[in-house]
């Protein structure tokens, strides 16, 4: 299967250093930075450095090293923010929008880590 990827998307530009971001963590395969329009006190975007358009693209085609690195960064961000349930934190939500039904605005795979207030149910009732 061949996935399309538009390298002019805004996160690709952030990865190339063409536009600024507020980085929180960077590893060999992963970058975490603050969302420009936060929906909660903590709103972090975690992205792979590789050219993956959607979560399924990443999950199916990224190397195990990339997937492990990405997942560890998510965990380390939760730990750094102090939001881990059972570790003194009150929790967080991960969201990855993929495609038009989910209203994915930026076509570079990303996970939103949102925390710092009660977040309500996952979808409107
Ligand atoms: P999504 O709808 O899941 O594609 O979400 C894209 C997210 O990217 C939104 O929450 C935006 O606020 C965020 N965003 C867009 N441009 C930037 C930027 N230059 N720096 C940081 N976050 C951004």
């Amino acid at each position: 299967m061949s996935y399309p990827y538009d390298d002019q998307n805004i996160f690709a530009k952030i990865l190339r250093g063409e536009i600024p971001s507020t980085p929180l963590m960077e590893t060999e395969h992963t970058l975490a930075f603050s969302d420009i329009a936060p929906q909660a006190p903590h709103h972090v975007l975690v992205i792979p450095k590789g050219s993956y358009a959607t979560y399924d693209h990443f999950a199916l085609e990224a190397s195990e090293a990339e997937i492990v690195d990405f997942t560890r960064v998510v965990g380390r961000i939760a730990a750094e923010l102090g939001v881990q349930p059972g570790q003194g934190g009150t929790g967080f939500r991960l969201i990855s929008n993929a495609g038009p039904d989910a209203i994915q605005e930026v076509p570079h795979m990303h996970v939103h880590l949102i925390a710092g207030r009660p977040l309500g149910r996952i979808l409107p009732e």
Side-chain angles (χ1 to χ4, degrees), residues 21-81:
S21 68
T22 305
L24 301 171
M25 191 175 295
E26 181 170 7
T27 62
E28 181 181 1
H29 297 297
T30 308
L31 179 68
F33 54 98
S34 300
D35 196 291
I36 204 168
Q39 304 293 308
H42 301 299
H43 189 161
V44 178
L45 297 170
V46 185
I47 69 173
K49 290 183 176 178
S51 299
Y52 302 103
T54 55
Y55 191 96
D56 56 296
H57 185 190
F58 179 72
L60 292 172
E61 296 203 344
S63 68
E64 292 188 9
E66 291 175 295
I67 291 170
V68 169
D69 187 78
F70 182 90
T71 305
R72 293 276 192 236
V73 168
V74 171
R76 288 172 59 200
I77 291 287
E80 284 203 0
L81 295 176

Side-chain angles (χ1 to χ4, degrees), residues 10-11 14 19 33-37 43 45 97 103-106 110 112:
I10 201 148
F11 294 169
I14 285 175
I19 63 168
F33 54 98
S34 300
D35 196 291
I36 204 168
H43 189 161
L45 297 170
N97 296 315
I103 317 181
Q104 180 182 6
E105 291 177 357
V106 180
H110 54 282
H112 300 251

